[in-house]
């Protein structure tokens, strides 16, 4: 089967940088467009209101409301038109006119009362009857949308005093900004509306110019940022990672070609960074050296068949030596009691636990289960344990520890192995427990005077399974007397001869039977319950458990 071509990290960084910067540029341009449009529209609204207010004063001067009320065109009618003509001549508007509803209940009874024309429009040579509208001439069909007519109708019905504005479209006049003011007669009856219209197309012309300018500037800026970011990422991220990939790939190719273990060599990447990349380079080299050492030992063991048992026994001791196995683990600490155990299904296993002090007030607890069994799982386990502890000792949060460990393992992951992890950090002085879960079994917690309960925390994806995984944290506060029990799936999935699982219910029952005992006694009781259930059936999976009893902050006078 043809191997699928992989996209290099350099290409991936470049592609995602371009995509993200493109999205950012588009977003900025869209926001700028909206702000510019709103500002321009607001200025036109203010201008329309100013012109309309001035025209309305002229309407009041000539008692134009009475003319509409009586449907009359007295001597002052043309004088008022002259004033409106002067206003339109001095203004940057398309239309200035007055209208009324011949029947206020019928929106389609809209009728012209008067209109205004500029000197230029009056010199067009058209007859006055075609140039001007007079009292009682119906508005042309399609001159206003029904939605606009309803707004104007409601303004008259409500005797609206303030100026209103709206935007609309009609087949006759296109897109317009319409300002309107209700006209009143001497008896304060709303009789019609004085209107000003401005062509919105002129706004769009300015917007197009603005958009072109912004897009050009944004494109240039985006290209510069992309180039700078790609340069930085290449120098400090992708190039170091490519060096690690090159060295690890060369190492694997030598292995696959049957190179003698003694001749295997992992090329030094010369990465001296103190950050995560530097730590990753060191861990990969350490892992390669461990693999080389293992292969050398395996060759010797194969050549000398009689020594296989002794070699496996040595591997078991090495693995046991990597795990805390001296109890009590922290003899000077009285705030808590802790105990853990691991029983591999084979001579060596993939399960592991870890417990160590990050500082004087923080205890880190880890329990994990590597996919598979035997030597490969043990090697993967050792690498995972080192990476997890190194990240934890840097003072990171549980979620960040798992995230960075996943990144480091995925970068040098060729065997498609993974590890489930539960990692918790206890603040000893307060009992605050913050944990993160990478596809591991649910923890079990017992509060004082209560039973052990399964805590269904938020699960993240397994470590080594996929790059870029984020993990969530679960937080609780342990009261003095509280107990924590964490385990691998070898406990609930222990199987008897009939193929039935031991299960979490039996496990929780066993815990509650020994709830008042010490952590060491609790683990012993759970193991007895598992053995009693399984009886003579073969143990198929590693069985690892950890129990911690929180006794409270120090009471010996030491400040906490």
């Amino acid at each position: 089967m043809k191997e699928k071509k992989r996209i290099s990290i350099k290409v991936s960084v470049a592609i995602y940088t371009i995509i993200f910067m493109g999205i950012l540029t588009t977003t900025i341009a869209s926001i700028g467009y909206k702000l510019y449009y709103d500002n321009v529209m607001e200025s036109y609204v203010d201008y329309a209101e100013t012109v309309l207010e001035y025209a309305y004063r002229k309407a009041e001067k000539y008692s134009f409301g009475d003319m509409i009320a009586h449907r009359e065109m007295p001597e002052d009618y043309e004088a008022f038109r002259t004033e409106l003509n002067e206003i339109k001549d001095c203004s940057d508007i398309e239309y200035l006119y007055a209208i009324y509803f011949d029947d206020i209940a019928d929106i389609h009874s809209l009728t012209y009362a008067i209109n205004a024309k500029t000197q230029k429009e009056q010199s067009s040579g058209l007859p006055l009857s075609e140039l001007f509208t007079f009292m009682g001439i119906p508005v042309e069909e399609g001159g206003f949308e029904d939605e606009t007519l309803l707004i104007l109708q409601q303004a008259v019905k409500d005797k609206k005093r303030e100026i209103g504005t709206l935007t609309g479209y009609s087949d006759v006049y296109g897109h317009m900004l319409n300002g309107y003011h209700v006209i009143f007669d001497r008896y304060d009856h709303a009789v019609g509306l004085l209107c000003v219209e401005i062509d919105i197309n002129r706004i769009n012309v300015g917007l197009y110019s603005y958009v072109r300018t912004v897009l050009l500037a944004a494109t240039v800026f985006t290209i510069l940022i992309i180039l700078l970011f790609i340069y930085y990422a290449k120098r400090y991220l992708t190039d170091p990672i490519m060096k690690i990939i090159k060295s690890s790939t060369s190492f694997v190719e030598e292995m696959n070609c049957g190179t003698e273990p003694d001749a295997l060599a992992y090329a030094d990447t010369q990465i001296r960074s103190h950050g995560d990349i530097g730590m990753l380079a060191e861990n990969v080299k350490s892992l390669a050296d461990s693999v080389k050492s293992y292969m050398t030992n395996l060759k010797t063991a194969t050549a000398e068949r009689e020594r296989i048992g002794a070699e496996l026994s040595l591997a078991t001791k090495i693995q046991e030596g990597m795990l805390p196995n001296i109890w009590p683990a922290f003899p000077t600490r009285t705030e808590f009691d802790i105990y853990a155990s691991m029983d591999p299904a084979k001579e060596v296993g993939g399960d592991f636990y870890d417990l160590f002090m990050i500082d004087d007030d923080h205890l880190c607890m880890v329990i994990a289960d590597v996919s598979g069994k035997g030597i490969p799982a043990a090697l993967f386990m050792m690498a995972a344990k080192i990476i997890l502890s190194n990240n934890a000792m840097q003072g990171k949060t549980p979620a960040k520890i798992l995230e960075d460990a996943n990144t480091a393992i995925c970068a040098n992951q060729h065997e498609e192995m993974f590890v489930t992890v539960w990692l918790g950090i206890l603040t000893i002085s307060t009992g605050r427990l913050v944990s993160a879960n990478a596809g591991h079994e649910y923890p079990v917690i017992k509060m004082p005077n209560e039973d052990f309960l399964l805590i269904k925390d938020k699960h993240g994806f397994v470590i080594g399974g996929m790059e870029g995984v984020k993990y969530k944290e679960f937080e609780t506060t342990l009261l003095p007397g509280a107990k924590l029990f964490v385990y691998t799936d070898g406990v609930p999935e222990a199987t008897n001869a009939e193929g039935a699982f031991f299960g979490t219910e039996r496990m929780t029952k066993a815990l509650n039977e020994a709830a008042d005992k010490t952590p060491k006694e609790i683990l012993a009781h759970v193991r007895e319950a598992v053995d009693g259930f399984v009886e003579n059936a073969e143990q198929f999976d590693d069985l690892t458990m950890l129990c911690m009893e929180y006794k409270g902050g120090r009471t010996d006078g030491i400040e906490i």
Side-chain angles (χ1 to χ4, degrees), residues 69 133 178 195 250 330 435 467:
T133 56
N178 189 309
C195 300
S250 175
F330 307 98
S435 62
E467 295 181 353

Side-chain angles (χ1 to χ4, degrees), residues 380-424:
F380 196 85
M381 173 274 269
M382 289 188 286
K385 180 179 178 298
I386 292 170
I387 293 173
L388 286 167
S389 61
N390 285 347
N391 277 280
M393 292 303 295
Q394 294 180 38
K396 300 177 181 179
T397 64
K400 185 63 175 173
I401 293 171
L402 297 189
E403 178 184 339
D404 291 348
N406 180 64
T407 301
I409 290 175
C410 285
N412 197 47
Q413 168 71 285
H414 300 293
E415 303 301 325
E416 296 184 355
M417 297 182 71
F418 61 85
V419 56
T420 67
V421 180
W422 179 93
L423 185 146

Side-chain angles (χ1 to χ4, degrees), residues 205-267:
V205 172
L207 281 173
Y208 295 149
S209 175
Y210 167 80
V211 170
R212 285 195 299 271
T213 303
V214 168
L215 285 178
L216 178 61
T219 301
V220 173
F221 177 75
T222 301
I223 291 173
L224 290 175
I225 293 298
I226 289 173
L227 292 176
L228 287 173
F229 183 81
I230 291 177
Y231 169 77
Y232 178 85
K234 180 178 183 298
R235 181 170 181 177
Y236 297 103
L237 179 63
T238 59
D239 279 356
I241 291 178
M242 291 303 294
K243 289 180 180 178
I244 296 173
I245 293 174
K246 182 178 179 182
S247 295
S248 60
T249 301
S250 175
F251 184 82
V252 172
E253 287 176 350
E254 288 184 14
M255 290 175 53
N256 292 337
C257 290
T259 303
E260 291 295 319
D262 292 341
L264 286 175
Y266 180 82

Side-chain angles (χ1 to χ4, degrees), residues 234-435:
K234 180 178 183 298
R235 181 170 181 177
Y236 297 103
L237 179 63
T238 59
D239 279 356
I241 291 178
M242 291 303 294
K243 289 180 180 178
I244 296 173
I245 293 174
K246 182 178 179 182
S247 295
S248 60
T249 301
S250 175
F251 184 82
V252 172
E253 287 176 350
E254 288 184 14
M255 290 175 53
N256 292 337
C257 290
T259 303
E260 291 295 319
D262 292 341
L264 286 175
Y266 180 82
D268 190 353
T269 58
Q270 302 296 322
I271 298 173
R272 300 294 178 259
S273 170
H274 296 290
D276 293 340
I277 297 298
M279 184 179 69
L280 174 62
E282 293 175 3
N283 289 336
V284 172
K285 187 178 187 303
S286 176
L287 184 60
D289 292 341
S290 299
V291 171
K292 176 182 177 180
S293 177
Y294 163 73
M295 292 182 66
T296 301
N297 293 337
L298 184 61
K299 177 184 176 182
T300 302
T302 303
E304 303 178 17
R305 192 176 184 83
E306 67 278 5
R307 298 180 58 189
I308 290 179
E311 292 290 341
L312 288 175
S313 176
L314 177 60
T316 301
K317 292 179 181 179
I318 292 174
Q319 185 178 42
E320 290 176 352
M322 289 192 65
L323 304 180
N325 55 13
I326 299 176
W327 312 104
F330 307 98
T332 62
R333 305 306 295 249
T334 60
E335 305 96 321
F336 61 90
D337 184 16
I338 192 166
Y339 191 80
S341 65
M342 185 190 78
D343 296 307
K346 296 185 177 181
E347 287 81 3
V348 289
D351 284 8
F352 70 91
Y353 64 85
D354 204 356
L355 43 109
F356 52 88
M357 300 295 296
I358 297 175
D359 55 41
D360 190 57
D361 195 35
H362 291 88
L363 169 68
C364 183
M365 297 170 285
V366 182
I367 190 160
D369 184 0
V370 175
S371 62
K373 301 176 186 65
I375 296 295
L379 290 173
F380 196 85
M381 173 274 269
M382 289 188 286
K385 180 179 178 298
I386 292 170
I387 293 173
L388 286 167
S389 61
N390 285 347
N391 277 280
M393 292 303 295
Q394 294 180 38
K396 300 177 181 179
T397 64
K400 185 63 175 173
I401 293 171
L402 297 189
E403 178 184 339
D404 291 348
N406 180 64
T407 301
I409 290 175
C410 285
N412 197 47
Q413 168 71 285
H414 300 293
E415 303 301 325
E416 296 184 355
M417 297 182 71
F418 61 85
V419 56
T420 67
V421 180
W422 179 93
L423 185 146
I425 297 177
L426 172 68
T427 302
I428 300 170
S429 59
T430 63
R432 178 174 177 260
L433 176 66
V434 181
S435 62

